Amino acid sequence: MKLRNVRSSSNIEDRRGRRGRTRRGGAIGGLGVGGVLLVLAIGYFTGIDVTPILGGSPSQSVSSAPRDFSAAEQRAADFTSSVLATTEDVWTQVFPQQVGQDYVPPTLVLFSGQTNSSCGGASAATGPFYCPADQKAYLDTQFFATLSQRLGASGDFAAAYVIAHEVAHHVQNQLGVLGQVDQARRAGSTAEANALTVRLELQADCLSGVWATYVEGLLEPGDLEEAVNAARQIGDDTLQRNAGRVPQPHTFTHGTSEQRARWFTKGYDAGEIGACDTFQARSL
């Protein structure tokens, strides 16, 4: 992805190295199952911190000692800031054209180790997530190494896709989708809640594809393939197989590898928010 001349976003809150303390809160999203790889992968790609809403687990004190940042970590922070700027430019253009309203970008919080959010504690295990309560996305830049080295999704555009996915949850929040899904989840069974979360996540994948359409001039050969591969690597069926488990569809919270890749591609091909209505789709 060609970011050399792309501006840095001013909507970055850098908390790297600060001490933090977790607390309870409210959010929407999916929760992973057992297995070290599966827990890490689900944590990194849930998109929303869901521990408070699904488990209501007690808060825990955590700390992150201040430290110097490596050159790689700083490059990751700069990369994140530039990618965030592209999402701001895209959605600021797309919202008035397709939705008829202004887009208000989220703040992206960079942290290392642990931090707080209005939806609960954020940590390496939680991974990147969006909190609708404070309209902020949270990201530990060290996840880029896990993305490439442990999850088989290498390449800068694979990382950019994940950032765009978190911003897509903010888009859903501005469209009122998150609130509607949260209400429906609370009224349904676990299986029904999981099914709704799958549609929520697939819609975010599709919206990420819409973003990719509008940054096409920044793409390099192989970038789209990197994003599609990332989508495939984080499908529920693939994650469960990699954890040594037989895939159990009733537990899926993000969709299969094929579904995630297909909805990203659908958004990219259409370039339209309206093409991403997974909730009305008869088949995912």
Side-chain angles (χ1 to χ4, degrees):
M1 189 176 186
K2 297 177 288 188
L3 294 173
R4 177 172 296 181
N5 297 319
V6 174
R7 67 179 177 86
S8 297
S9 172
S10 61
N11 293 307
I12 294 286
E13 182 180 335
D14 195 344
R15 299 183 190 173
R16 291 176 297 167
R18 297 185 188 178
R19 296 183 178 275
R21 186 178 301 273
T22 63
R23 55 178 176 166
R24 297 197 208 190
I28 312 165
L31 192 63
V33 295
V36 174
L37 177 60
L38 182 57
V39 169
L40 282 172
I42 290 291
Y44 280 131
F45 296 103
T46 48
I48 306 172
D49 181 13
V50 297
T51 304
I53 195 171
L54 294 184
S57 57
S59 59
Q60 297 180 342
S61 297
V62 295
S63 64
S64 177
R67 60 178 177 79
D68 295 329
F69 306 120
S70 68
E73 287 176 311
Q74 192 55 49
R75 285 194 299 270
D78 293 341
F79 171 83
T80 300
S81 181
S82 292
V83 172
L84 182 63
T86 69
T87 69
E88 293 164 354
D89 293 343
V90 167
W91 293 115
T92 297
Q93 174 187 350
V94 169
F95 255 57
Q97 292 176 347
Q98 299 186 15
V99 183
Q101 67 184 62
D102 292 334
Y103 175 70
V104 181
T107 296
L108 192 150
V109 178
L110 292 177
F111 68 94
S112 57
Q114 302 89 13
T115 194
N116 302 330
S117 83
S118 296
C119 296
S123 69
T126 322
F129 69 93
Y130 173 73
C131 175
D134 57 22
Q135 298 188 50
K136 294 180 179 181
Y138 291 80
L139 171 69
D140 184 336
T141 56
Q142 295 185 60
F143 102 92
F144 291 125
T146 297
L147 176 69
S148 175
Q149 298 169 12
R150 300 193 63 175
L151 300 177
S154 60
D156 58 356
F157 202 67
Y161 150 72
V162 175
I163 296 168
H165 181 95
E166 301 312 321
V167 174
H169 284 305
H170 178 70
V171 171
Q172 290 174 312
N173 195 32
Q174 284 206 245
L175 293 173
V177 175
L178 290 191
Q180 294 172 14
V181 171
D182 185 28
Q183 185 176 15
R185 280 175 52 91
R186 293 174 185 271
S189 65
T190 298
E192 291 169 336
N194 286 347
L196 284 169
T197 306
V198 166
R199 291 180 182 269
L200 187 74
E201 294 294 334
L202 293 179
Q203 184 180 58
D205 284 329
C206 184
L207 292 170
S208 301
V210 173
W211 160 80
T213 299
Y214 285 86
V215 297
E216 191 169 24
L218 302 177
L219 301 188
E220 298 175 302
D223 276 351
L224 284 178
E225 289 79 5
E226 290 175 2
V228 171
N229 175 61
R232 291 187 180 279
Q233 294 300 327
I234 58 178
D236 286 318
D237 52 340
T238 296
L239 295 178
Q240 291 186 2
R241 287 193 190 96
N242 288 345
R245 295 170 174 265
V246 176
Q248 302 178 24
H250 71 282
T251 67
F252 290 176
T253 55
H254 296 79
T256 66
S257 293
E258 188 275 335
Q259 288 172 333
R260 300 203 70 169
R262 179 155 50 82
W263 278 97
F264 172 84
T265 302
K266 183 173 183 178
Y268 176 77
D269 290 341
E272 297 281 342
I273 293 175
C276 297
D277 191 353
T278 55
F279 296 94
Q280 296 298 320
R282 292 186 177 182
S283 174
L284 296 176

